[in-house]
Amino acid sequence: MIGGLFIYNHKGEVLISRVFRDDIGRNAVDAFRVNVIHARQQVRSPVTNIARTSFFHIKRGNIWLAAVTKQNGNAAMVFEFLLKMVEVMQSYFGKISEDNIKNNFVLIYELLDEILDFGYAQNTDVGILKTFITQQGIKGTQSKEEQAQITSQVTGQIAHRREGIKYRRNELFVDALEYVNLLMSPQGQILSAHVAGKVVMKSYLSGMPECKFGINDKIVLDNKGKTTTDDPSRRYRTTKDISLPFRIIPLVREVGRTKMEVKVVLKSNFKPTLLAQKIEVRIPTPLNTSGVQLICMKGKAKYKSSENAIVWKIKRMGGMKESQISAEIELLQTNDKKKWTRPPISMNFEVPFAPSGLKVRYLKVFEPKLNYSDHDVIKWVRYIGRSGLYETRC
Amino acid sequence: MTDSKYFTTTKKGEIFEMKGELNSEKKEKKREAVKKVIASMTVGKDVSALFPDVVNCMQTDNLELKKLVYLYLMNYAKSQPDMAIMAVNTFVKDCEDPNPLIRALAVRTMGCIRVDKITEYLCEPLRKCLKDEDPYVRKTAAVCVAKLYDINAQLVEDQGFLDALRDLLSDSNPMVVANAVAALSEINEASGHPVIEMNSQTINKLLTALNECTEWGQVFILDFLANYNPKDDREAQSICERVTPRLAHANAAVVLSAVKVCMKLMEMMVSDSDYCSTLTKKLAPPLVTLLSSEPEVQYVALRNINLIVQKRPDILKHEMKVFFVKYNDPIYVKLEKLDIMIRLATQANIAQVLAELKEYATEVDVDFVRKSVRAIGRCAIKVEQSAERCVSTLLDLIQTKVNYVVQEAVVVIKDIFRKYPNKYESIISTLCENLDTLDEPEARASMIWIIGEYAERIDNADELLESFLDAFHDENTQVQLALLTAIVKLFLKRPTETQELVQQVLSLATQLCTCRSGGGAEDEKLDSPPLPQPTSVIPSQDSLIGDLLSLDMGPTQPTQPAPSSQGQAVQSTASMDLLGGGFDYLLGPSESPVPQQQQAFGGDAGLLGDIFGVGPGSGASAGFYVPPKQMWLPAAKGKGLEITGTFSRRGGQIVMDVTISNKAMQPMEGFAIQLNKNSFGLVPAAPLNIPHAINPNQSTDASMVLNTNGPVQKMDPLTNIQVAIKNIVDVFYFACIIPIHVFFTEDGQMDKRVFLATWKDIPAQNEVQYTLSNMMLGADTTVLDAVSNKLQQNNIFTIAKRNVEGQDMLYQSLKLTNGIWVLTELKIAPGNPNYTIYMTLRFHMQMLSLKSRASEVAPTVYQAFETILRQQ
């Protein structure tokens, strides 16, 4: 499996280097720097083979994380591990940056030692790691029971939950969080659309209760309904009968070589009683844009030259409404023969319903050992529909 | 909290300072010092000198400090095996510690110290830990067995650790089971003989643990299950039943491993059974869901999906849309999606696919655009009904006049013509308009093929083809071949007008042939009078077409970037064995079955040098040793032609300098020169240029630049080269020896660190030693500089100098054009003015092109050193 793990800054200097196996030499560190970080052309693949050694990398900001192996390992697992490692580091010290990594290098080595043994991923659950990797060291005074508690948690069946949790008020929160993804042609034809959703639970329930929830038949969840952790989640995906909260109708006209007119109509398509929030429409502009005049009926619009886009923001918008923006774009004369490729118009939003049509029908809590019943639990259900990649070609 | 300060100190005497701090009485200071040591270690500084001091800090009850010391030990124990023994006691003691975390830490670290003596002491503690009451210790011990196996396999077997590991498969704790599985899988693979019997009982245990262990543990178990062959259909189904819930896991690795197990087990089942089709349906949603993960994971998923759809197209046949390329997808995701789209294209969805592909062909990334255009062609060939629409789409694209789009379109149109002959030739005129813009060999060859094939419908086909003939010798072989075939086809169709043309091309081709390999099949063609032979040529063409075409539909191996139709031919069989090797291959890291470029790590340093402009300027450095011209071809043997010559290196290129004298009675002209295949792939970069005829008793000097990208064949001796020179009189052959130092490249300076690492890495059989005695090197004080200057002028770069016991040592590197690195150590023994130099040469080579051993290259390199150094 993983033979070594390196973290580099943008210059290719090594910040963290941990080698697990003998077949990975120190020169592997240099090979990756020279062939990938300093490579002249753009990185064409997250997997690079150099002299029979495979390098898997991900990048966060300026930081490169690379896992190295000479064996025929499981590529998906290596990437998932790197991503997980980023998550663990973030939860310990925030953003992945050169300073943060240098400031915490001892911690990172300690974490690595725990989560990766001889290149095999071990328990990477942040909640558990935080109980015994603290940078304070484990106090000698720790009782035998406490130690046993830690080890049984690390290796335990139930990953996140300790025994003996008690709450005064037993509450249960369920969020159905969905991301709507859309790709639409300029003529309004849906090229592809899907909803990726998850049901997330946050429980403040005493003991080791069993929770069951039922949903309508819109989604087939592979769900036994038995979860015994604090914040379990269930994922699903659907392409059928999606209600698309917004529609964009673009109109682009190139008036001569130095001018362009863009009109975008935005229509909301849901119950008038509901309110969408944090609406943002991003209209790409050509690279040789010299100036933009904007008129919008609602919200605020701005041309952001650094991003080559017009960003139109609307705080709130009710259902079954319509709004529009028109822009006059002035262009510089260029000799560049390359045509502008017209990237798609994208948008962001948040709506208070589930675009897949999912509804939670019931929620039940069973805790046979403690003396509270299903009726005593205060339950909350919330639906959130957010934009995933929501694009309209123009 | 700011640990970054440890990275900054680079003062002199730093090691000494750290030593002091490590031995400090204060605990706090001690810890700071160890941190500093670890930071230095991370950036690659050698802090091994501090070994005893760091080990002294090991006896501590501070866990953080202990972990740091252990980290240090893992890195340096190997270089200080004797001292590492000092640590054993602490390890053994820690393995008995009441705290399970410390017991595990000790056994984990001990396994990482690859020192034989320590390994002996490891056995007892490990045995205890494998039976420890605490699962955390047991799961760590399980992995430790794999570590130990890697160090000393025999020991593990002798000590019965394998049995202990097998016992752990029945452990009550799922994580212990998972780690035991991981360890056993690794040992299984390494040992070559099965160390574990996979029976239904074991499998059952694993399936039980599967539900309860961590995500990673699930992957270990699933990957292990994938190797199991159930005894019957029922067992296969019941395993599937228990694996399918994993398909809903949030971790992509778990999902993919579960898919792999299912795919494998489906092989066992009757393919049209109900169960199989239900299972097929179950596999699609999880695969599609993977496409919303991080791009790197998506990439791996796509590579796998590419194989899965080849094996079972049904799984994703309705999911075409999810593979549509998104504007912001990284390029590697885009390219993979494109490939899958073509595989899923059917008559039902072809309209949509084509609309998408056309959209992609206007994007920015050149590779992606090219592949999109090719994809359109593949659609045309795969789905006959769509061919017309594809052709019109391609024509639209040609109208954009974007150069690489046009070239790519021409190539695929050729394929379409081959598949559907005599259907779309109306577009030929449009193609011909773009003739001048084609500069890539493949596009040119395709265009030539089209002209030849449809010669009877193109009025000026002969003119068009003739226009290519002018630069026949500069064309790529592919184009030359196409041209030859096309002209012959033309001739068969219009024998009367084109006789001259066909003779011209045949003579051009034959010239080439004789020069290249001393004559071949084409020779005979020239001899026999060109007569129309329709029966022999045309039908064979047809069958060829039939052959080639079916290939375009054949699956490609996924890693071949933009494969040509011919490329696919060879591979179509390879992808059949999907589950045997293919799937593994993909899941595994060796993502590229294309022969890997075996770039030496050392070679990279040269690149680095280039970037920073460290390498010496190009151009012939003054002082480059050029041997005097030697007689290569005496007049007696050359029918009056006499040639003397030598080789040198100028402007980063190898140059052959010759003096040609005419000792005959009549003027000589029409000179051409060819080199036979040779060890370094030398070929003339341009033909020999002798503009005038050489009159009797006159001579002329000529230089010819040589490239090293020609065909390679090992010569004996290595630097031997056979030359053929031609003039109007005759063709003459002679052989000469090239001084090896002209192959030393300007980027042969190795980075100091790389040098050190490489020097150590080179195995002993690649080392050769020589002694140069009686060297006149000048005065004592300047001798080192003189030597290194002289050598540097010949692209032998001094990396380091030092003085050991009164003897000067020089460390040097040089690189040959074929990528061999030679690292040398010169020990210069004083003896003014007659020095003795002891040379040690080490060869670092990735012998791809040249199958030779160090012992063969060494004498020539040694000679080069001697001649360079002896030269005044």
Side-chain angles (χ1 to χ4, degrees), chain B residues 814-826:
Chain B
L814 63 93
K815 188 185 157 195
L816 294 172
T817 50
N818 55 6
I820 300 182
W821 284 87
V822 185
L823 280 59
T824 65
E825 181 194 60
L826 299 186

PDB file of all heavy atoms in Angstrom, chain B residues 814-826:
ATOM      1  N   LEU B 814      28.797  12.936 -15.456  1.00  0.00           N
ATOM      2  CA  LEU B 814      28.618  13.246 -16.863  1.00  0.00           C
ATOM      3  C   LEU B 814      27.446  12.419 -17.356  1.00  0.00           C
ATOM      4  O   LEU B 814      27.087  11.400 -16.769  1.00  0.00           O
ATOM      5  CB  LEU B 814      29.881  12.935 -17.665  1.00  0.00           C
ATOM      6  CG  LEU B 814      30.358  11.491 -17.728  1.00  0.00           C
ATOM      7  CD1 LEU B 814      29.797  10.812 -18.959  1.00  0.00           C
ATOM      8  CD2 LEU B 814      31.877  11.473 -17.774  1.00  0.00           C
ATOM      9  N   LYS B 815      26.855  12.919 -18.406  1.00  0.00           N
ATOM     10  CA  LYS B 815      25.679  12.222 -18.913  1.00  0.00           C
ATOM     11  C   LYS B 815      25.850  11.980 -20.394  1.00  0.00           C
ATOM     12  O   LYS B 815      26.270  12.876 -21.120  1.00  0.00           O
ATOM     13  CB  LYS B 815      24.451  13.101 -18.676  1.00  0.00           C
ATOM     14  CG  LYS B 815      23.147  12.409 -18.985  1.00  0.00           C
ATOM     15  CD  LYS B 815      22.030  13.413 -18.831  1.00  0.00           C
ATOM     16  CE  LYS B 815      20.815  13.018 -19.611  1.00  0.00           C
ATOM     17  NZ  LYS B 815      19.899  14.134 -19.747  1.00  0.00           N
ATOM     18  N   LEU B 816      25.560  10.788 -20.822  1.00  0.00           N
ATOM     19  CA  LEU B 816      25.635  10.479 -22.238  1.00  0.00           C
ATOM     20  C   LEU B 816      24.318  10.811 -22.905  1.00  0.00           C
ATOM     21  O   LEU B 816      23.275  10.877 -22.253  1.00  0.00           O
ATOM     22  CB  LEU B 816      25.943   8.986 -22.423  1.00  0.00           C
ATOM     23  CG  LEU B 816      27.331   8.572 -21.923  1.00  0.00           C
ATOM     24  CD1 LEU B 816      27.476   7.073 -21.966  1.00  0.00           C
ATOM     25  CD2 LEU B 816      28.414   9.217 -22.763  1.00  0.00           C
ATOM     26  N   THR B 817      24.363  11.000 -24.197  1.00  0.00           N
ATOM     27  CA  THR B 817      23.148  11.392 -24.911  1.00  0.00           C
ATOM     28  C   THR B 817      22.036  10.374 -24.752  1.00  0.00           C
ATOM     29  O   THR B 817      20.878  10.704 -24.855  1.00  0.00           O
ATOM     30  CB  THR B 817      23.427  11.558 -26.419  1.00  0.00           C
ATOM     31  OG1 THR B 817      24.109  10.401 -26.841  1.00  0.00           O
ATOM     32  CG2 THR B 817      24.259  12.776 -26.691  1.00  0.00           C
ATOM     33  N   ASN B 818      22.386   9.136 -24.484  1.00  0.00           N
ATOM     34  CA  ASN B 818      21.316   8.148 -24.342  1.00  0.00           C
ATOM     35  C   ASN B 818      20.869   7.986 -22.909  1.00  0.00           C
ATOM     36  O   ASN B 818      20.193   7.031 -22.556  1.00  0.00           O
ATOM     37  CB  ASN B 818      21.742   6.807 -24.932  1.00  0.00           C
ATOM     38  CG  ASN B 818      23.033   6.334 -24.321  1.00  0.00           C
ATOM     39  OD1 ASN B 818      23.536   6.956 -23.393  1.00  0.00           O
ATOM     40  ND2 ASN B 818      23.552   5.249 -24.818  1.00  0.00           N
ATOM     41  N   GLY B 819      21.261   8.949 -22.043  1.00  0.00           N
ATOM     42  CA  GLY B 819      20.696   8.983 -20.704  1.00  0.00           C
ATOM     43  C   GLY B 819      21.483   8.229 -19.661  1.00  0.00           C
ATOM     44  O   GLY B 819      21.096   8.166 -18.517  1.00  0.00           O
ATOM     45  N   ILE B 820      22.592   7.646 -20.040  1.00  0.00           N
ATOM     46  CA  ILE B 820      23.411   6.986 -19.024  1.00  0.00           C
ATOM     47  C   ILE B 820      24.153   8.054 -18.247  1.00  0.00           C
ATOM     48  O   ILE B 820      24.713   8.978 -18.823  1.00  0.00           O
ATOM     49  CB  ILE B 820      24.465   6.050 -19.667  1.00  0.00           C
ATOM     50  CG1 ILE B 820      23.767   4.987 -20.483  1.00  0.00           C
ATOM     51  CG2 ILE B 820      25.367   5.444 -18.619  1.00  0.00           C
ATOM     52  CD1 ILE B 820      24.724   4.000 -21.097  1.00  0.00           C
ATOM     53  N   TRP B 821      24.097   7.917 -16.947  1.00  0.00           N
ATOM     54  CA  TRP B 821      24.902   8.813 -16.118  1.00  0.00           C
ATOM     55  C   TRP B 821      26.147   8.073 -15.693  1.00  0.00           C
ATOM     56  O   TRP B 821      26.085   6.908 -15.326  1.00  0.00           O
ATOM     57  CB  TRP B 821      24.120   9.215 -14.880  1.00  0.00           C
ATOM     58  CG  TRP B 821      23.074  10.231 -15.150  1.00  0.00           C
ATOM     59  CD1 TRP B 821      21.801   9.992 -15.538  1.00  0.00           C
ATOM     60  CD2 TRP B 821      23.202  11.652 -15.034  1.00  0.00           C
ATOM     61  NE1 TRP B 821      21.127  11.182 -15.685  1.00  0.00           N
ATOM     62  CE2 TRP B 821      21.967  12.204 -15.381  1.00  0.00           C
ATOM     63  CE3 TRP B 821      24.253  12.495 -14.683  1.00  0.00           C
ATOM     64  CZ2 TRP B 821      21.739  13.569 -15.378  1.00  0.00           C
ATOM     65  CZ3 TRP B 821      24.018  13.859 -14.677  1.00  0.00           C
ATOM     66  CH2 TRP B 821      22.780  14.400 -15.038  1.00  0.00           C
ATOM     67  N   VAL B 822      27.247   8.774 -15.737  1.00  0.00           N
ATOM     68  CA  VAL B 822      28.465   8.189 -15.214  1.00  0.00           C
ATOM     69  C   VAL B 822      28.918   9.080 -14.067  1.00  0.00           C
ATOM     70  O   VAL B 822      29.052  10.290 -14.224  1.00  0.00           O
ATOM     71  CB  VAL B 822      29.559   8.103 -16.287  1.00  0.00           C
ATOM     72  CG1 VAL B 822      30.759   7.374 -15.731  1.00  0.00           C
ATOM     73  CG2 VAL B 822      29.036   7.423 -17.522  1.00  0.00           C
ATOM     74  N   LEU B 823      29.105   8.485 -12.919  1.00  0.00           N
ATOM     75  CA  LEU B 823      29.570   9.220 -11.763  1.00  0.00           C
ATOM     76  C   LEU B 823      30.994   8.768 -11.491  1.00  0.00           C
ATOM     77  O   LEU B 823      31.267   7.574 -11.495  1.00  0.00           O
ATOM     78  CB  LEU B 823      28.674   8.908 -10.557  1.00  0.00           C
ATOM     79  CG  LEU B 823      27.349   9.670 -10.498  1.00  0.00           C
ATOM     80  CD1 LEU B 823      26.506   9.423 -11.697  1.00  0.00           C
ATOM     81  CD2 LEU B 823      26.602   9.330  -9.254  1.00  0.00           C
ATOM     82  N   THR B 824      31.884   9.713 -11.297  1.00  0.00           N
ATOM     83  CA  THR B 824      33.270   9.309 -11.112  1.00  0.00           C
ATOM     84  C   THR B 824      33.843   9.884  -9.834  1.00  0.00           C
ATOM     85  O   THR B 824      33.409  10.921  -9.350  1.00  0.00           O
ATOM     86  CB  THR B 824      34.163   9.787 -12.271  1.00  0.00           C
ATOM     87  OG1 THR B 824      34.180  11.207 -12.225  1.00  0.00           O
ATOM     88  CG2 THR B 824      33.633   9.340 -13.595  1.00  0.00           C
ATOM     89  N   GLU B 825      34.778   9.167  -9.353  1.00  0.00           N
ATOM     90  CA  GLU B 825      35.553   9.669  -8.225  1.00  0.00           C
ATOM     91  C   GLU B 825      37.013   9.591  -8.653  1.00  0.00           C
ATOM     92  O   GLU B 825      37.488   8.539  -9.067  1.00  0.00           O
ATOM     93  CB  GLU B 825      35.314   8.755  -7.017  1.00  0.00           C
ATOM     94  CG  GLU B 825      36.045   9.176  -5.779  1.00  0.00           C
ATOM     95  CD  GLU B 825      36.046   8.051  -4.755  1.00  0.00           C
ATOM     96  OE1 GLU B 825      36.565   6.955  -5.065  1.00  0.00           O
ATOM     97  OE2 GLU B 825      35.517   8.256  -3.666  1.00  0.00           O
ATOM     98  N   LEU B 826      37.702  10.720  -8.617  1.00  0.00           N
ATOM     99  CA  LEU B 826      39.113  10.713  -8.974  1.00  0.00           C
ATOM    100  C   LEU B 826      39.915  10.938  -7.708  1.00  0.00           C
ATOM    101  O   LEU B 826      39.721  11.932  -7.010  1.00  0.00           O
ATOM    102  CB  LEU B 826      39.430  11.838  -9.963  1.00  0.00           C
ATOM    103  CG  LEU B 826      38.736  11.831 -11.319  1.00  0.00           C
ATOM    104  CD1 LEU B 826      39.311  12.942 -12.179  1.00  0.00           C
ATOM    105  CD2 LEU B 826      38.905  10.499 -12.007  1.00  0.00           C
TER     106      LEU B 826
END
